[in-house]
Amino acid sequence: AQKITQTQPGMFVQEKEAVTLDCTYDTSDQSYGLFWYKQPSSGEMIFLIYQGSYDEQNATEGRYSLNFQKARKSANLVISASQLGDSAMYFCAMREGRTNAGKSTFGDGTTLTVKP
Amino acid sequence: NAGVTQTPKFQVLKTGQSMTLQCAQDMNHEYMSWYRQDPGMGLRLIHYSVGAGITDQGEVPNGYNVSRSTTEDFPLRLLSAAPSQTSVYFCASSRKVTGSNSPLHFGNGTRLTVT
């Protein structure tokens, strides 16, 4: 079974509107972390936001927030006030366990297109 | 700081050729890893290392070797290239922490084509 599922291969959003990118995960570990990365068309991978399994508050980083619903095993990325530069592929990833050796499992990604 | 540096950026190989993808980081990170990204898919872990002299296999290790003689360097060797290894390869590093709050720092990737 896939550990990280991103069900939206592509999403469109109007500039200045908010958009939610979905991510569900599967793990039996109590300690884990969830990450979102952005990959623009230039190809590099950029870390956006992190949520720990024990964090009670949803993570926020500027216009990015993570809607963490632990019981539903979902970690959706919310981008507020979309900008043209937000057009990119977005990956959800998980790191399991307390000693994780830097290993992460990635979803297949969602391509976001921001329309002017 | 340069972060994670990968070379080359692009490479074309013929089937059966061997080559080494270079990766170096200057952040003194303990953990380093190699991922491949195929079209329409996420990143899959090839090999990883928790420190100098220690490496282990990831999800898709066949056809690749790694070694880690220093904290800074983590080269990936393709022993006998196959068309199925056509992909974009990313090297990543991260700090050793207790818990999971240590994001991956990526190199800019190597686009490899095997004909």
Side-chain angles (χ1 to χ4, degrees), chain B residues 5-68:
Chain B
T5 303
Q6 280 184 245
T7 55
K9 285 187 170 46
F10 301 94
Q11 183 71 48
V12 179
L13 290 178
K14 293 190 190 307
T15 298
Q17 287 184 318
S18 63
M19 78 158 295
T20 300
L21 278 62
Q22 301 291 345
C23 176
Q25 54 98 3
D26 62 1
M27 297 173 283
N28 206 29
H29 285 170
E30 293 84 357
Y31 299 151
M32 295 187 76
S33 47
W34 277 101
Y35 292 83
R36 60 177 286 174
Q37 183 181 21
D38 299 315
M41 298 180 70
L43 279 67
R44 291 184 292 168
L45 182 65
I46 304 171
H47 285 285
Y48 65 98
S49 169
V50 300
I54 306 170
T55 64
D56 207 345
Q57 296 181 349
E59 181 186 354
V60 287
N62 292 342
Y64 308 94
N65 271 358
V66 292
S67 61
R68 189 150 176 222

Side-chain angles (χ1 to χ4, degrees), chain B residues 45-97:
Chain B
L45 182 65
I46 304 171
H47 285 285
Y48 65 98
S49 169
V50 300
I54 306 170
T55 64
D56 207 345
Q57 296 181 349
E59 181 186 354
V60 287
N62 292 342
Y64 308 94
N65 271 358
V66 292
S67 61
R68 189 150 176 222
S69 55
T70 66
T71 300
E72 295 77 19
D73 299 302
F74 191 44
L76 178 73
R77 281 183 288 279
L78 279 70
L79 309 172
S80 177
S84 61
Q85 293 178 304
T86 294
S87 189
V88 179
Y89 291 83
F90 286 98
C91 179
S93 72
S94 59
R95 288 183 302 119
K96 178 181 178 181
V97 297

Side-chain angles (χ1 to χ4, degrees), chain A residues 7-54:
Chain A
T7 57
Q8 307 152 313
M11 289 280 287
F12 290 89
V13 65
Q14 208 66 35
E15 195 178 6
K16 298 179 187 169
E17 291 186 350
V19 63
T20 297
L21 306 185
D22 294 341
C23 173
T24 57
Y25 60 92
D26 183 29
T27 182
S28 56
D29 275 315
Q30 296 300 308
S31 176
Y32 54 89
L34 298 153
F35 301 80
W36 279 91
Y37 294 90
K38 173 183 179 182
Q39 186 177 42
S41 57
S42 49
E44 71 268 32
M45 296 285 289
I46 303 164
F47 164 68
L48 294 178
I49 194 167
Y50 161 82
Q51 179 83 42
S53 58
Y54 295 117

